[in-house]
Amino acid sequence: MMRKVIIYILLIISAFLITFPVLYAVSASFMTTQEINRGALLPSSISFDNYVRAFTSVPLFHFLMNSFIVAFGVMVAQLIICSLAAYAIVFIPFKGAKVMFFLFVSTLLIPWEAAFLTNYITILDFGWVDTYTGLMVPFFATAFGIFLMRQQFMTLPKELWESAQMEGCSHFRFFLSFAMPLSKPILSALGIFAFLTTWNMYLWPLLLTNNDDVRTVQIGLKMMISAETGTNWNVVMAGVVMVLLPTLILLVLGLSHLKRGLTQGAIKG
Amino acid sequence: MTDQIAAKQLMDPASRDKEKRKKARKNFWTAMLFMLPAIAIIGFFLFYPMFKTLYFSFFVVNSRGDTISFAGLSNYLYLWESSSFRTSMKATFLFALYTVPTTIIVSLFLAVITNEKVRGIPFFRVAFSSTLGVSVAAGATIWLILLHPSVGVFNNLLAGIGFDRIGWLTSSTWALISVSITTIWMNLGFNFIILLGGLQNISEELYESARVDGAGYWTQLFKITIPLLSPTLFFVSVVTIINSFQSFGQVDILTGGGPNNSTNLIVYSIYREAFESGFFGTASAQAMILFALVLILTIIQFKFVEKKVHYQ
């Protein structure tokens, strides 16, 4: 009994400390400027004025749509491209399968932050600056995705393919109608993860977006900070809440999937 | 179907061999077709840039990626002698030291207390993993106001209990610590999820038999949980170190590398060298140093830590 009480106390204190920044952001997004300057923790009344201002001071809605397009595009492409590669490694017996897998996984050691300079030049040469293509294409395949899907495909029984082959089923049809549908839980984990990381990306869109057309919401936030020059923190916090809302909802809904997927990648590795 | 098998049995060894080779060739090309998109993307946006960056690091390069002249090792020598690069390396290592152990210890603590069987656990799990959904820009913006000198909650708290206000982001002693606190908070969610997954993988029977033998809470924690969790802890520590070397967004939003370069972490330093000063050559040399750091650290970890790791 005593132990349960201690656990609850620890849980509640930790939960308060960890969620405090986000709760404060939500609370501050409803405050007046005076309340923020006074150091209040809760707003005296609820009004959505700050949100209205956040959407008018910068094209926030447009930025949110851009982020959505980019994150969704990367998610779909990653699911298809990583699964295809992983499928070949697991189900198609060919010379060099091990080497290919090793090459793919070895890219986990290449930090994107060490490659972004040259990638920027490449995008510049292609004329892809300020385009969705430039923002998305470099992330269409990741070693993590290929690794995760390989682990998943290895759990599917080989006999399934053997009997399908007897019936004259091609690799591509087997991939589409058996391997993929049977991997739905891991696919959703990878999908959620890809969406989250792309939505949250910062350095790449900072370099690649010089105007509002394709600018993502993360860079929009940086614009808001300088546009509001620090005096209207409530408006900036309304912007923060709008950025956080989609990913937090996704996280709450998909947490169990995500946990299974990430754990599989981490522990079986 | 049976006809086919019968036909195969009738074939002489030579043509069976030929058949086999034909099939192997067909498999090879099918596999290549399946892997083509992944090979193209990863090859073009990860392998090729590494070689190109290495190449750039030996040249004077302008901001459009044109090599102006061969520079030999002078980009590296320049960095070696540059005091601002030395400050930036020092900040990068200090930052790793401040963030990595704390992140792992706190997220391990959170994972252990949410692995208990009490009511309402799903709620706490969501709360503790929530920072995974917080983007670096949004997280840093929130902390920008929390750490604000005059309206920030932290300074209000300090003033409330009679202490002096601190220039969290403007004093060179505190700025790196402030960026570290922000980063620790942001990394908790991911580490928590992985460690909790690891904990749930440990079989309940082990604890039961330990309890039969009269082992208490702490004995179970240090004799069962931690040793069996060590592969996951190992993974988490590699990822967290690498992540800390790659931090960028929080620096850009919170401090812009200042004051006096005290938070000019390596990726930020690369970014400034290339996009503010326009020296892509020296920026590439820095990127190669970052690459080497990540590589060496990962290898060291695999060589030395993995030996001490228990596998179930």
Side-chain angles (χ1 to χ4, degrees), chain A residues 165-213:
Chain A
Q165 191 185 22
M166 293 283 199
E167 308 282 328
C169 178
S170 73
H171 272 297
F172 191 66
R173 245 200 58 207
F174 182 74
F175 171 76
L176 274 187
S177 35
F178 291 95
M180 290 297 263
L182 286 172
S183 307
K184 270 184 198 150
I186 295 296
L187 283 170
S188 27
L190 180 60
I192 295 169
F193 190 71
F195 189 93
L196 278 181
T197 44
T198 315
W199 178 276
N200 291 346
M201 213 179 281
Y202 185 78
L203 176 55
W204 192 238
L206 180 69
L207 294 179
L208 238 57
T209 56
N210 300 313
N211 59 47
D212 291 353
D213 287 349

Side-chain angles (χ1 to χ4, degrees), chain A residues 93-142:
Chain A
F94 69 101
K95 237 190 191 152
K98 279 213 178 92
V99 178
M100 283 313 301
F101 179 63
F102 176 78
L103 276 179
F104 282 135
V105 172
S106 70
T107 60
L108 282 172
L109 292 180
I110 304 180
W112 167 257
E113 284 72 10
F116 79 91
L117 287 174
T118 324
N119 284 331
Y120 176 77
I121 304 282
T122 305
I123 297 294
L124 210 60
D125 288 342
F126 285 1
W128 283 358
V129 174
D130 290 318
T131 64
Y132 292 130
T133 325
L135 287 172
M136 292 193 287
V137 172
F139 306 97
F140 275 0
T142 62

Side-chain angles (χ1 to χ4, degrees), chain A residues 219-235:
Chain A
I219 312 306
L221 262 189
K222 193 189 176 181
M223 273 176 72
M224 275 184 94
I225 297 172
S226 32
E228 299 288 336
T229 53
T231 46
N232 291 310
W233 285 104
N234 44 2
V235 180

